[in-house]
Amino acid sequence: MSGVLNVWVKSPDTHSERRIDPHLTVEQLKNKLEPITGIPAGNQIITLLESEGDPRVVAALDDNSKKLGFYGLRDWQVIKVDDRNPSTSWTGQLTDTANVEKFEITEEEYAKRTDTVLAYKQRHKVGRFATPSEGTPEPSDVNIPVGARCEVDSLDKDLRKRGTVRFVGPTKFGTGAWVGIEYDEPLGKNDGSVQGVRYFSCRDKYGVFVRPEKVQIGDFPVEELDLDVDEEM
């Protein structure tokens, strides 16, 4: 439709983008806004605002016989609709929670209930209620010093994963004890942090966390690469 404008329509319970014909009269506009805002046409107070970001009042659309173009309606202005008698309608009640009865419960009462998320986690041993796997050592049972040189077991017998112990203890990503290692080479999976929690710092792909039983502590020097400068190119 030629001449149709894009405007915002705001009321106590609604906020939407609409296409408006500036040749409509204010009375016709009110009839169209009633099912949108829920405010009876006879109760509507319409104010024209400059824009969403500039709520200056441009005009009060208070003459039902005037066309919208008379007020200089432009694209992306705001048609603000208020209710002069909200007691006769539901205006504002859909978003007003002041009189809504709230259900409150103490932490002690919540802990005693059997139909809560907490109870589910306790029954199924989820999260902090999980039982450490059989054979998984607790942090207090691990005797691996931070700063020690180590070698980590590998499925590839020809690959020796050497590095330095940077962390020993419990983590948020798993139960039991974990050993955080900074590898000498980029053979790891992280930079010392997992799921947004930092346990130590190193270069990306140089950090890894493994179970204590996979770690051998000893004299494991950094392996040097033997480059023969006389090798044919």
Side-chain angles (χ1 to χ4, degrees):
M1 181 186 300
S2 176
V4 172
L5 301 174
N6 295 293
V7 300
W8 294 103
V9 173
K10 294 181 67 174
S11 74
D13 295 318
T14 64
H15 182 192
S16 60
E17 179 187 332
R18 298 287 171 173
R19 292 168 62 82
I20 300 291
D21 183 351
H23 296 97
L24 290 174
T25 65
V26 172
E27 183 176 17
Q28 290 172 321
L29 174 65
K30 288 181 177 180
N31 290 329
K32 289 181 176 293
L33 291 177
E34 181 170 341
I36 296 173
T37 64
I39 302 174
N43 287 0
Q44 293 177 21
I45 302 173
I46 302 180
T47 309
L48 184 62
L49 308 182
E50 182 62 34
S51 68
E52 283 269 87
D54 183 0
R56 287 180 297 165
V57 175
V58 174
L61 279 59
D62 53 7
D63 189 335
N64 286 341
S65 65
K66 290 285 196 302
K67 293 184 177 181
L68 301 183
F70 172 81
Y71 296 98
L73 183 66
R74 303 192 310 272
D75 275 327
W76 306 120
Q77 288 186 317
V78 178
I79 294 177
K80 183 173 180 286
V81 188
D82 291 302
D83 191 343
R84 70 174 72 252
N85 190 10
S87 63
T88 62
S89 66
W90 289 93
T91 303
Q93 297 185 39
L94 298 178
T95 54
D96 183 7
T97 60
N99 296 319
V100 177
E101 184 178 355
K102 299 177 178 63
F103 177 73
E104 298 181 350
I105 186 172
T106 66
E107 292 186 8
E108 291 77 12
E109 292 172 329
Y110 180 77
K112 292 177 182 178
R113 297 186 61 153
T114 59
D115 58 347
T116 63
V117 173
L118 176 66
Y120 176 87
K121 288 184 175 181
Q122 289 174 328
R123 285 196 303 271
H124 297 278
K125 300 186 183 302
V126 176
R128 62 190 174 95
F129 301 107
T131 302
S133 302
E134 184 176 353
T136 301
E138 291 299 309
S140 58
D141 299 330
V142 179
N143 186 24
I144 296 178
V146 173
R149 291 290 300 172
C150 66
E151 190 169 279
V152 178
D153 291 348
S154 173
L155 296 177
D156 185 350
K157 63 180 181 180
D158 296 323
L159 178 62
R160 290 186 289 188
K161 298 181 178 180
R162 293 185 176 183
T164 303
V165 177
R166 299 299 187 195
F167 171 88
V168 179
T171 67
K172 292 186 177 181
F173 60 79
T175 59
W178 292 83
V179 180
I181 296 169
E182 179 182 4
Y183 281 143
D184 297 334
E185 300 177 75
L187 302 173
K189 298 182 177 180
N190 52 61
D191 63 352
S193 63
V194 177
Q195 298 175 355
V197 179
R198 181 163 297 284
Y199 299 94
F200 66 93
S201 296
C202 67
R203 289 172 291 177
D204 191 28
K205 302 300 181 184
Y206 280 75
V208 71
F209 289 86
V210 297
R211 290 297 189 182
E213 61 269 20
K214 294 184 176 295
V215 181
Q216 299 180 50
I217 300 299
D219 182 17
F220 297 108
V222 178
E223 294 186 316
E224 299 289 343
L225 293 177
D226 185 15
L227 298 178
D228 187 350
V229 296
D230 295 328
E231 186 176 357
E232 293 184 359
M233 299 296 291

